[in-house]
Amino acid sequence: MNIKKKAFITGVTGQDGSYLAELLVKKGYDVVGLDRRCSERDYWRLGETRNKIKIIEGDLMEYESLRRIIETEKPDEIYNLAAQSHVGSSFKTPLTTLDMTGKSVWILLEIIRAVDQKIKIYQASTSELFGGDPGTEPQNEKTPFNPHSPYAIAKLAAFHMIKLYRESYGIFACNGILFNHESPRRGEDFVTRKITIAVARIKAGKQEVLELGNMDAKRDWGFAGDYVEVMYEMLQQDKADDYVISTGETHTVREFVEESFRVAGYEIVWEGKDEKEIGKDKKTGKVLVRINPEFFRPGEVPLLLGDNSKAKKVLGWTPKVTFKKLAKMMMEDDLEKVEKGLL
Ligand code: NAP
Ligand code: G4F
């Protein structure tokens, strides 16, 4: 008899949580998702999957609520995706970020240790750990960590706790060191989605200009739908381990701007330098992009480019969607949303 596996996903209302819930439901799992109370929730990312999973109210920061859920639901696997996930915000709320993004992982590991050490756990670790200084690329599992933000420091603590509990207590705990991954479900304050929404609104005459911070930063951008597959794979291995997950391509924020405008039918030409840089529509000369120093961060990660050879070799994983396809997918979705009056 095939016994159904059960997964508990924290962060199920977020970008990755929604794709992962969809995937695990398709694989025949019972899925339980953690949801913190908020004033209004429409579960737009989950769509139809909302009715196929169980949502339980609780909070990442509360030992008692998490322990109650884990004791009652008895999951086989925990996917810990919940976090304060915005790097820029972490400079404004460093202590909350440390609690939500770092300490909460300790809480989960302690619960597993106390309740059932056979529960497997996936931790949403990040390429931000590397710091991305030029000369360190391509970053792989052996690249030294050099975090540049409160967010990355909190995730670094979490990374080591996962490793510690794996090595000290034999808990099946994995870190997925994921590079940036995006989708039409990406939060609106991350740079790719901010760009595709703005371009769609500019095209519809609903917005004049797109304001950004550092356009020289380079990121290895993949598609969230591809990346959740590998989260699942990590927990199906015989041995728990840590893996870099990336596309192996890197592009500047400026290139993402150019590509998004291109999909929407514009060609951008650049003028000026540093804070005075502007992007103009080649056809009309209208300024469509400018720098707003408000979006610069006190600490920056200049260059991320991942080496995913270990994941390819051990997990048999390769990303299907890379830069151009990703920008097109996000851009087309936001053009449609603007047309329908949703943005
Ligand atoms: P996201 O869209 O920002 O989702 C974060 C989730 O965490 C949301 O469901 C949020 O709930 C939940 N959450 C935050 N604080 C909570 C709390 N106190 N209690 C319960 N839930 C809480 O992030 P994502 O892009 O899906 O990323 C998933 C994870 O991967 C995060 O840990 C992130 O740091 C990490 N990561 C992401 C990337 C990437 O490029 N996307 C790369 C590397 C690592 P609400 O809906 O209530 O806000
Ligand atoms: O889209 P971002 O905010 O993502 P960031 O900082 O790379 O972090 C994301 O990826 C990490 C993995 O490497 C995750 F761990 C993390 O949870 C998150 O999902 O910014 C990307 C780049 C940065 O260099 C930023 O300074 O874009 C630059 N940028 C320039 N203008 C901007 C803006 N970022 C944002 N959010 N908004 C801007 O206006």
Side-chain angles (χ1 to χ4, degrees):
M1 191 180 66
N2 242 347
I3 299 173
K4 253 189 156 186
K5 276 202 202 168
K6 189 183 273 192
F8 174 43
I9 304 177
T10 72
V12 77
T13 55
Q15 173 187 255
D16 292 5
S18 66
Y19 283 107
L20 181 67
E22 223 167 88
L23 177 80
L24 294 181
V25 165
K26 270 198 205 121
K27 288 191 182 293
Y29 275 58
D30 280 331
V31 174
V32 177
L34 179 74
D35 187 20
R36 58 175 166 170
R37 197 206 157 266
C38 66
S39 61
E40 200 177 351
R41 174 81 79 200
D42 67 3
Y43 298 108
W44 68 273
R45 289 190 174 100
L46 284 165
E48 301 219 319
T49 307
R50 166 65 191 95
N51 302 321
K52 299 177 183 160
I53 67 174
K54 181 171 173 183
I55 298 257
I56 304 189
E57 190 180 327
D59 197 287
L60 196 58
M61 284 314 306
E62 202 177 275
Y63 180 91
E64 283 309 324
S65 76
L66 288 178
R67 180 160 181 159
R68 175 176 38 81
I69 295 168
I70 291 168
E71 273 179 342
T72 323
E73 294 298 328
K74 301 184 176 31
D76 302 285
E77 297 168 3
I78 297 177
Y79 294 86
N80 184 36
L81 309 184
Q84 190 303 89
S85 72
H86 198 279
V87 176
S89 296
S90 77
F91 285 98
K92 294 171 189 144
T93 57
L95 299 177
T96 314
T97 302
L98 182 58
D99 279 350
M100 279 164 57
T101 305
K103 189 175 158 192
S104 60
V105 181
W106 217 317
I107 294 178
L108 277 174
L109 285 165
E110 271 300 293
I111 296 172
I112 292 177
R113 198 163 77 84
V115 173
D116 179 0
Q117 297 200 6
K118 287 196 292 304
I119 299 173
K120 298 180 176 181
I121 180 166
Y122 168 86
Q123 164 60 12
S125 192
T126 167
S127 49
E128 285 286 306
L129 300 186
F130 296 122
D133 298 312
T136 61
E137 77 281 9
Q139 293 98 6
N140 65 23
E141 293 80 2
K142 296 200 170 80
T143 306
F145 295 140
N146 184 22
H148 286 185
S149 66
Y151 167 81
I153 290 169
K155 284 282 189 186
L156 181 63
F159 176 94
H160 284 296
M161 285 175 242
I162 288 284
K163 196 161 169 284
L164 180 76
Y165 277 60
R166 179 169 79 218
E167 288 167 358
S168 307
Y169 301 114
I171 290 171
F172 197 108
C174 301
N175 284 296
I177 310 170
L178 271 52
F179 282 61
N180 298 51
H181 45 280
E182 320 292 311
S183 72
R185 299 182 198 169
R186 187 57 146 154
E188 297 181 7
D189 54 357
F190 295 93
V191 80
T192 53
R193 189 81 200 293
K194 179 176 168 179
I195 294 167
T196 56
I197 290 175
V199 173
R201 287 176 52 85
I202 287 170
K203 191 173 166 80
K206 290 182 164 181
Q207 186 172 330
E208 288 289 311
V209 69
L210 161 65
E211 291 191 332
L212 291 170
N214 176 15
M215 287 198 291
D216 293 321
K218 291 181 130 183
R219 290 290 181 275
D220 179 330
W221 279 297
F223 170 50
D226 286 345
Y227 284 36
V228 297
E229 286 178 9
V230 81
M231 298 177 184
Y232 161 79
E233 284 304 333
M234 279 182 220
L235 295 197
Q236 315 314 311
Q237 302 303 303
D238 293 335
K239 200 173 142 277
D241 206 345
D242 308 321
Y243 297 89
V244 158
I245 304 300
S246 64
T247 67
E249 248 188 64
T250 192
H251 296 272
T252 59
V253 171
R254 191 179 293 96
E255 286 174 271
F256 196 91
V257 172
E258 285 167 359
E259 190 55 26
S260 304
F261 272 109
R262 203 189 58 73
V263 175
Y266 296 85
E267 189 180 337
I268 296 294
V269 286
W270 301 101
E271 275 177 24
K273 280 195 100 183
D274 303 324
E275 289 181 24
K276 298 260 185 304
E277 184 170 7
I278 48 172
K280 286 182 170 176
D281 176 7
K282 191 175 179 192
K283 212 189 266 173
T284 63
K286 204 170 167 224
V287 176
L288 299 183
V289 189
R290 67 170 170 245
I291 302 293
N292 182 343
E294 189 193 315
F295 300 113
F296 288 135
R297 294 173 181 175
E300 180 58 281
V301 170
L303 200 182
L304 291 176
L305 170 64
D307 165 9
N308 61 17
S309 4
K310 179 174 169 184
K312 268 190 180 147
K313 188 168 168 226
V314 181
L315 307 174
W317 177 85
T318 40
K320 296 179 203 85
V321 178
T322 49
F323 185 73
K324 283 200 174 188
K325 212 165 153 188
L326 177 68
K328 185 167 187 284
M329 174 203 294
M330 293 177 69
M331 200 54 251
E332 287 177 350
D333 193 79
D334 278 332
L335 285 167
E336 195 184 319
K337 284 200 176 103
V338 167
E339 211 177 286
K340 288 184 178 157
L342 299 172
L343 288 171

